[in-house]
Amino acid sequence: MGYTLHIGNRAYSSWSLRGWLLFERFGLQVTTRNVEFKSGPVGQQLAAYAPAATVPTLITPEGTVVWDSLAIAEELATRHPRAGHWPVDPARRATARALTAEMHSGFSTLRTVCPMNLRVAHKGTAMTDALRADLDRLEVIFAHAQRVVGEPAQWLCGEYSVADAFYAPVAARIAGYGLPVGPVTTAYVASHLAEPAFRRWRAMGLVRGETLNRYAQNLPTTDWPGPEPLRAEAVDTGTPENATCPYSGDPVTHLARIDGRVFGFCNAFCRDKTVADPLAWPKFAALL
């Protein structure tokens, strides 16, 4: 028995994104189980795994329930010390832990005013003093992390760490609401938008799970920022280079030609034999 991770709707569940990245970004195998928010209270759907009442909830190979994202991060780091969840350098590791803890407990205005919604981007978000304070705080701690690293780095504490997994939904909020931030934070947001694991998650969020009206905002919409989706043409014949759908892991049922090569998707990511949105073509990105 391996790990099982219960997650919510990928378009909206920011904590589920964090939990999933703790596996995907560090090369750990996990089976995901979807908890549909419209199917009743999460606690009821996870009744077999009490006291879990939120997502993500992790079930370890021996059956232990871990129902908090920070606890999941620490447990995986302990069980898989070579995976790289935390930086090896003591100063960077301590900084990454401090950043992660602050994200876990803070930034309440940013979370409330700008709930994560990966299906749409907005413009015209009203700037309040409380929201500006959260954004200013991000600028302060990101700049501090850069000073600790002491050299130009794509991620907060050098190599990608738990801290970056925890701030991925923050990047999505800044991008998705067009929030004004300085150059350090802008570059950091761009790193997440271009990161293949984040883009795979968003692709799944675009086509799997119901639209939840409670996340709708009375704001004008605009195009999602970041790299352009890869162009794909649905085809009926050909031998795909992959045996399973890179988004879901399910068997290939539909084919797409991308840059002269044929890849496969599963039914969940196709509509009438048209690839739903080959956003961020996955693990093959380096080959295309």
Side-chain angles (χ1 to χ4, degrees):
M1 178 181 175
Y3 292 109
T4 300
L5 185 69
H6 295 267
I7 60 174
N9 189 308
R10 287 176 169 89
Y12 311 106
S13 183
S14 58
W15 290 107
S16 294
L17 169 57
R18 293 178 174 100
W20 182 81
L21 286 171
L22 295 174
F23 286 89
E24 181 72 10
R25 207 45 184 73
F26 298 95
L28 302 180
Q29 295 295 314
V30 66
T31 298
T32 57
R33 296 282 183 264
N34 292 312
V35 174
E36 297 297 338
F37 291 158
K38 283 190 173 182
S39 298
V42 172
Q44 290 182 10
Q45 296 185 62
L46 295 177
Y49 307 106
T54 56
V55 286
T57 285
L58 174 67
I59 312 302
T60 68
E62 68 276 9
T64 302
V65 180
V66 187
W67 63 91
D68 177 86
S69 57
L70 187 53
I72 292 171
E74 292 290 12
E75 187 61 23
L76 291 178
T78 299
R79 291 174 181 241
H80 305 279
R82 296 185 180 180
H85 286 91
W86 296 115
V88 174
D89 175 79
R92 295 185 182 190
R93 183 172 62 247
T95 302
R97 282 195 161 113
L99 288 166
T100 301
E102 181 164 353
M103 179 67 259
H104 193 255
S105 61
F107 302 99
S108 59
T109 299
L110 177 60
R111 294 184 194 179
T112 302
V113 175
C114 303
M116 190 178 84
N117 184 348
L118 299 180
R119 292 184 174 177
V120 65
H122 297 97
K123 56 185 178 181
T125 303
M127 184 57 59
T128 65
D129 289 344
L131 181 57
R132 183 69 263 170
D134 273 359
L135 296 176
D136 289 346
R137 179 60 184 172
L138 288 173
E139 305 276 14
V140 169
I141 61 177
F142 287 177
H144 172 75
Q146 194 173 67
R147 288 192 296 271
V148 171
V149 172
E151 59 187 18
Q154 181 180 12
W155 303 110
L156 288 173
C157 296
E159 297 297 322
Y160 193 101
S161 73
V162 170
D164 299 298
F166 270 61
Y167 281 88
V170 171
R173 286 177 165 97
I174 292 172
Y177 289 87
L179 301 179
V181 291
V184 171
T185 301
T186 296
Y188 182 65
V189 170
S191 292
H192 280 288
L193 297 184
E195 206 280 315
F198 177 88
R199 286 166 67 80
R200 287 198 295 277
W201 175 273
R202 180 171 176 257
M204 290 186 278
L206 290 174
V207 297
R208 176 169 288 181
E210 298 182 273
T211 297
L212 302 178
N213 291 331
R214 67 176 180 267
Y215 288 90
Q217 302 288 312
N218 187 24
L219 291 169
T221 59
T222 186
D223 292 336
W224 182 261
E228 289 291 323
L230 298 177
R231 296 183 179 276
E233 173 191 8
V235 295
D236 293 320
T237 60
T239 301
E241 298 187 20
N242 54 307
T244 60
C245 177
Y247 295 128
S248 66
D250 294 337
V252 164
T253 57
H254 291 69
L255 304 178
R257 181 179 292 113
I258 302 175
D259 218 19
R261 300 165 63 185
V262 177
F263 298 101
F265 291 92
C266 72
N267 276 322
F269 297 94
C270 301
R271 301 190 186 102
D272 300 324
K273 292 191 176 182
T274 300
V275 176
D277 185 351
L279 179 74
W281 184 264
K283 298 172 183 176
F284 308 101
L287 303 176
L288 296 178

